[in-house]
Amino acid sequence: MVTTTNTYQTTRSHELFERAKTLMPGGVSSPVRAFKSVGADPVFIARAQGAYLWDVDGNRYIDYIGTWGPAIVGHAHPEVQQALISAIPNGTSFGAPSCQENVLAQMVIDAVPSIEMVRFVNSGTEACMSAIRLARAYTGREKLIKFSGCYHGHGDLFLVQAGSGVATLGLPDSPGVPSAVTAHTLTVPYNDLPALNAMLAQYPDSIAAVILEPVVGNAGCILPQPGFLAGVRELTHQYGALLIFDEVMTGFRLAYGGAQERFGMDPDLTCLGKIIGGGLPVGAYGGKQAIMEMVAPAGPVYQAGTLSGNPLAMTAGIKTLELLQKPGTYAYLDQITAQLTEGLLDVARATGHTICANQVGAMTSIFFCAGPVTSYETAKASDREKFGRFHRGMMAEGVYLAPSQFEAWFLSTAHTAADIDQTLQAARRVLSQIPQ
Ligand SMILES: *Cc1c(COP(=O)(O)O)cnc(C)c1O
């Protein structure tokens, strides 16, 4: 099948985006959707099904964003849809306990090795903010250590610029965030155990928690190097700090039990989101019972939510997790994602481009540099201008990629070998048009 780029029209999307910009800041409800970093305008999506998106101009795309992770069984899966349709007549929100919460809580506890108790919230941002509050209460300490390039939502305490000098000072990287709030947030480079050790040694009795993405998805896909996660676990034990795995992206993606199952790790607290809501707004945090029982009303740490544990979100989450339990799910995701990643490396070689790739399970990224990319600092070596050209070319070919060099790509069980083949053929055409 030959896709001709000169028929690619986005007139209606363009009109809608112009209008949206007068109604909402930047025309979007979340910044990365505006496609600014790839020098393009976004398309407006009319419909999503399986591995595909259709925009308002009728273009179809093979989707490698999957609504930033949740669509791991494909968009609008018929069984998820049916579960939601059956749930709607019972009401969309109760503001009271419901049995669906018990079901999903039990599923999360059974799945994620370190979680003994869980609290549902409405987003990954809330999960991370709440986990830090809890860690501070539990340890009676105030400081936290994060890693540059890791994203933990838009809570004030996480908006700290990564970068050597500024890092230790904990200066906020968004106006509107008081420096008093971020003064307790310390940043070290990912995959750098000596730097973490030095930071802990500098504040031996003040670090409440070390939080990280066990596989980074928010600086492009970056893998923990062998021994890194185990080293972080050892150091946090040594200094009496809690270890928080932010598995909002990796939970139920890298394995049914998340990165901690895949890498055999035992964090104290875990943040979840994305997949566990099956495409509806959900987050969760959980961990050891002795820590979780400090959360109100069992304990004194306040945290609440009008729509938390929402019955529709629980329903979509339950059905999505049930679908993921089918034997062979994760082997298939690994295989199809490896096929895409290795294919892209081949295509780049054939067209004379230097790229490197990081992949684990159904998460992957290519970087336009020789690599290896092991941190946000090394990811910045990528040729972002070239990535922008690649992205725009792939859109015109009907392939919808994350609109930034610093975002991972996500595959789903709905992606087929034929989708990967089409994607690779498109990549070959696009890369051969881009000067090396
Ligand atoms: C997406 C994400 C968040 C934030 O979740 P929201 O639901 O967007 O608030 C936090 N941490 C990680 C690792 C994420 O990928």
Side-chain angles (χ1 to χ4, degrees):
M1 192 191 80
V2 179
T3 316
T4 48
T5 55
N6 56 7
T7 61
Y8 182 61
Q9 295 289 345
T10 54
T11 318
R12 181 84 185 113
S13 276
H14 180 75
E15 287 165 9
L16 285 166
F17 189 50
E18 290 307 308
R19 181 86 187 117
K21 282 191 281 189
T22 69
L23 302 169
M24 295 169 283
V28 290
S29 298
S30 191
V32 72
R33 295 181 198 170
F35 281 32
K36 265 191 166 171
S37 81
V38 290
D41 282 350
V43 291
F44 278 59
I45 302 304
R47 189 162 75 82
Q49 179 73 59
Y52 309 119
L53 299 174
W54 284 264
D55 71 17
V56 290
D57 291 283
N59 300 298
R60 191 199 80 164
Y61 305 89
I62 304 172
D63 176 23
Y64 291 103
I65 303 182
T67 186
W68 302 94
I72 193 166
V73 296
H75 293 283
H77 190 289
E79 289 186 47
V80 178
Q81 254 178 357
Q82 197 48 57
L84 285 170
I85 289 166
S86 306
I88 285 173
N90 296 325
T92 57
S93 173
F94 308 140
S98 72
C99 61
Q100 291 91 326
E101 291 165 75
N102 284 20
V103 174
L104 188 58
Q106 187 69 59
M107 289 177 94
V108 167
I109 289 164
D110 289 346
V112 185
S114 69
I115 296 187
E116 296 171 0
M117 266 191 164
V118 66
R119 163 62 59 88
F120 291 112
V121 292
N122 299 293
S123 67
T125 293
E126 270 185 73
C128 295
M129 285 166 48
S130 308
I132 295 291
R133 181 180 302 152
L134 178 56
R136 285 174 163 161
Y138 184 77
T139 58
R141 299 171 170 188
E142 292 199 333
K143 291 194 186 304
L144 82 106
I145 297 178
K146 70 182 283 286
F147 293 87
S148 46
C150 284
Y151 179 66
H152 304 297
H154 66 86
D156 279 356
L157 71 174
F158 296 118
L159 292 183
V160 177
Q161 179 80 330
S164 50
V166 199
T168 38
L169 299 173
L171 296 179
D173 69 356
S174 168
V177 176
S179 50
V181 173
T182 54
H184 295 301
T185 305
L186 310 168
T187 310
V188 295
Y190 198 75
N191 274 324
D192 190 341
L193 282 176
L196 176 63
N197 195 5
M199 192 65 89
L200 283 160
Q202 195 178 337
Y203 303 98
D205 305 313
S206 317
I207 311 293
V210 175
I211 186 169
L212 81 169
E213 293 182 73
V215 168
V216 184
N218 288 287
C221 179
I222 298 173
L223 277 59
Q225 299 200 309
F228 176 64
L229 295 177
V232 175
R233 178 67 281 189
E234 214 175 285
L235 284 171
T236 47
H237 273 320
Q238 190 183 324
Y239 285 94
L242 296 188
L243 174 58
I244 304 175
F245 268 22
D246 178 356
E247 297 226 43
V248 171
M249 194 171 266
T250 55
F252 295 91
R253 174 162 291 278
L254 297 187
Y256 189 68
Q260 58 193 272
E261 177 193 320
R262 192 157 182 138
F263 296 108
M265 296 299 303
D266 186 34
D268 300 297
L269 291 173
T270 299
C271 305
L272 295 167
K274 297 193 167 115
I275 289 174
I276 61 159
L280 276 79
V282 181
Y285 61 105
K288 307 290 174 221
Q289 183 167 349
I291 307 175
M292 289 305 293
E293 283 195 325
M294 285 195 72
V295 177
V301 179
Y302 192 68
Q303 186 274 304
T306 301
L307 291 172
S308 294
N310 175 268
L312 291 185
M314 297 292 108
T315 298
I318 291 164
K319 184 50 78 178
T320 300
L321 298 198
E322 276 174 16
L323 290 165
L324 289 173
Q325 287 171 3
K326 286 199 182 138
T329 296
Y330 289 92
Y332 179 75
L333 288 170
D334 282 14
Q335 176 229 311
I336 200 103
T337 312
Q339 187 192 337
L340 174 68
T341 308
E342 282 155 25
L344 286 167
L345 288 169
D346 285 344
V347 167
R349 264 189 296 272
T351 52
H353 291 278
T354 301
I355 69 167
C356 67
N358 288 336
Q359 183 234 328
V360 57
M363 269 172 85
T364 190
S365 280
I366 59 164
F367 300 90
F368 286 92
C369 59
V373 170
T374 57
S375 61
Y376 183 49
E377 290 71 17
T378 46
K380 283 195 241 178
S382 184
D383 184 339
R384 273 171 270 173
E385 210 274 321
K386 203 185 251 192
F387 180 84
R389 292 190 65 165
F390 177 64
H391 187 277
R392 298 193 297 273
M394 292 298 275
M395 285 292 289
E397 290 271 0
V399 180
Y400 191 82
L401 302 176
S404 162
Q405 176 64 83
F406 302 116
E407 299 286 354
W409 308 8
F410 302 114
L411 278 79
S412 75
T413 54
H415 287 82
T416 63
D419 293 324
I420 307 296
D421 275 348
Q422 265 192 40
T423 303
L424 295 176
Q425 284 169 32
R428 183 179 290 269
R429 284 189 292 271
V430 171
L431 284 175
S432 54
Q433 309 256 313
I434 298 176
Q436 296 155 15

